[in-house]
Amino acid sequence: MDQPICVWPVAATLGEGPVWVERDQALWFVDIKQQKIHRYDPADGGRRSWDSPEQVGFVLPADDGAFVAGLQSGLHRFDPAEGSFERLCRVDEDLRGHRLNDGVVDPSGRLWFGTMDDDESGPTGRYYSYFRGELVRQPIGGFTVTNGPAFSPDGRLIYFTDTHADRIWRAPVDRDGKLGEPEPFVEIGAGNGHPDGPSVDSQGFVWTAQFGGARALRYSPDGELVGMVAFSVPNVTKVAFGGADRSTGYATTARLFMSDEQVADRPQAGALFAFALEVPGLPCPLVSL
């Protein structure tokens, strides 16, 4: 695969949640800590940003033409034309200091996302799903930093990441969104960075970004490491599949936990990167509101 190139030196503190939106032919992502939503248009290099009223973990396209944004307090409908946010539901009201983190849409249009302690001080993270106005707390959690989920191409397997424990889990899921028994999928060895956002390509292979590992890894459905993309910056947070044929990988990165000296040595930290893929990804379904 090609060496990743910087396509937007956005200097994100915590770039996250890249998603290719088919109707826009654009890559959307967020900077959680700077409370920003970003859009990158590769056709003309266009860049646009919106302010969020709270920390924002993800922004995903909805079936009404708008987006669902995972703000710190809960899910909101985000209208980029107006720059407006309308609350859909609150999340984790019983836990102070929590925020929403990563999210994904399954093939049926059900939104799945995780929550976590913003200080990363305890294993209080939870996972939820949201479908047609109904929020459901899922029977997985107890993680300090939740990442994912991600789904197999047929939607029958869910992958979710316990970042601090350096482990990716998976579980069967039925068409009604009910989970089976989770099992370990991959454990990342100590010293190789921490598994951050997972993604699944059209062959059902699982990509995981490595925070602190300066790379993204690709695993077969059997958990075998089959590919790696090296980056020039340490904190890679998630890979998305974009472009007209979804054969371009886009990766968000972060400056979080880096000293001024480290940033000066790696000035592209926090940038959006792109690289060529040998296997394309799948389109992102629309959240069913």
Side-chain angles (χ1 to χ4, degrees):
M1 301 176 201
D2 288 348
Q3 182 73 19
I5 61 169
C6 172
V7 295
W8 187 353
V10 67
T13 303
L14 184 53
E16 265 288 5
V19 58
W20 181 259
V21 178
E22 295 286 328
R23 66 190 180 207
D24 299 333
Q25 288 293 289
L27 192 284
W28 292 74
F29 64 105
V30 302
D31 183 340
I32 297 175
K33 295 301 182 182
Q34 292 187 31
Q35 299 180 194
K36 294 283 189 180
I37 295 172
H38 299 299
R39 168 177 165 155
Y40 170 68
D41 292 84
D44 60 5
R47 304 166 180 175
R48 189 174 175 190
S49 302
W50 291 259
D51 291 321
S52 170
E54 302 171 10
Q55 292 189 92
V56 53
F58 59 84
V59 58
L60 292 163
D63 60 2
D64 68 346
F67 291 79
V68 176
L71 302 192
Q72 182 157 0
S73 62
L75 299 177
H76 288 66
R77 180 183 181 274
F78 166 60
D79 181 354
E82 302 291 335
S84 61
F85 295 83
E86 176 187 357
R87 182 181 293 119
L88 298 171
C89 65
R90 291 188 179 274
V91 179
D92 280 0
E93 288 186 276
D94 58 320
L95 294 174
R96 296 186 63 182
H98 256 218
R99 65 170 174 83
L100 277 62
N101 198 36
D102 201 5
V104 73
V105 189
D106 73 14
S108 70
R110 184 176 281 105
L111 168 64
W112 299 74
F113 62 94
T115 67
M116 57 176 280
D117 181 85
D118 191 38
D119 292 331
E120 303 182 20
S121 60
T124 55
R126 299 168 174 173
Y127 282 96
Y128 292 87
S129 63
Y130 179 84
F131 187 60
R132 296 178 180 173
E134 181 181 9
L135 181 71
V136 175
R137 180 177 171 184
Q138 295 294 334
I140 50 177
F143 302 163
T144 301
V145 176
T146 58
N147 267 295
F151 281 86
S152 60
D154 63 2
R156 304 309 298 270
L157 279 176
I158 183 173
Y159 298 88
F160 49 97
T161 300
D162 183 354
T163 294
H164 271 207
D166 296 327
R167 180 176 293 169
I168 302 173
W169 294 78
R170 71 179 173 190
V173 55
D174 67 21
R175 304 211 180 272
D176 294 324
K178 295 181 180 178
L179 300 185
E181 187 67 25
E183 63 177 6
F185 172 61
V186 165
E187 189 160 344
I188 309 297
N192 294 318
H194 303 285
D196 206 305
S199 309
V200 179
D201 64 27
S202 60
Q203 289 185 345
F205 285 53
V206 180
W207 287 77
T208 180
Q210 292 295 103
F211 196 100
R215 59 187 185 169
L217 306 178
R218 184 175 184 249
Y219 289 91
S220 74
D222 296 325
E224 178 187 359
L225 179 62
V226 296
M228 180 187 74
V229 177
F231 287 76
S232 60
V233 297
N235 302 324
V236 188
T237 56
K238 192 170 185 177
V239 172
F241 315 108
D245 55 1
R246 293 182 295 279
S247 291
T248 300
Y250 288 98
T252 46
T253 64
R255 293 185 170 189
L256 192 68
F257 305 134
M258 294 178 67
S259 67
D260 292 342
E261 291 76 12
Q262 289 171 324
V263 170
D265 188 51
R266 295 286 187 270
Q268 289 185 338
L272 177 68
F273 288 83
F275 58 96
L277 294 167
E278 297 173 359
V279 176
L282 294 165
C284 175
L286 302 177
V287 180
S288 181
L289 294 177

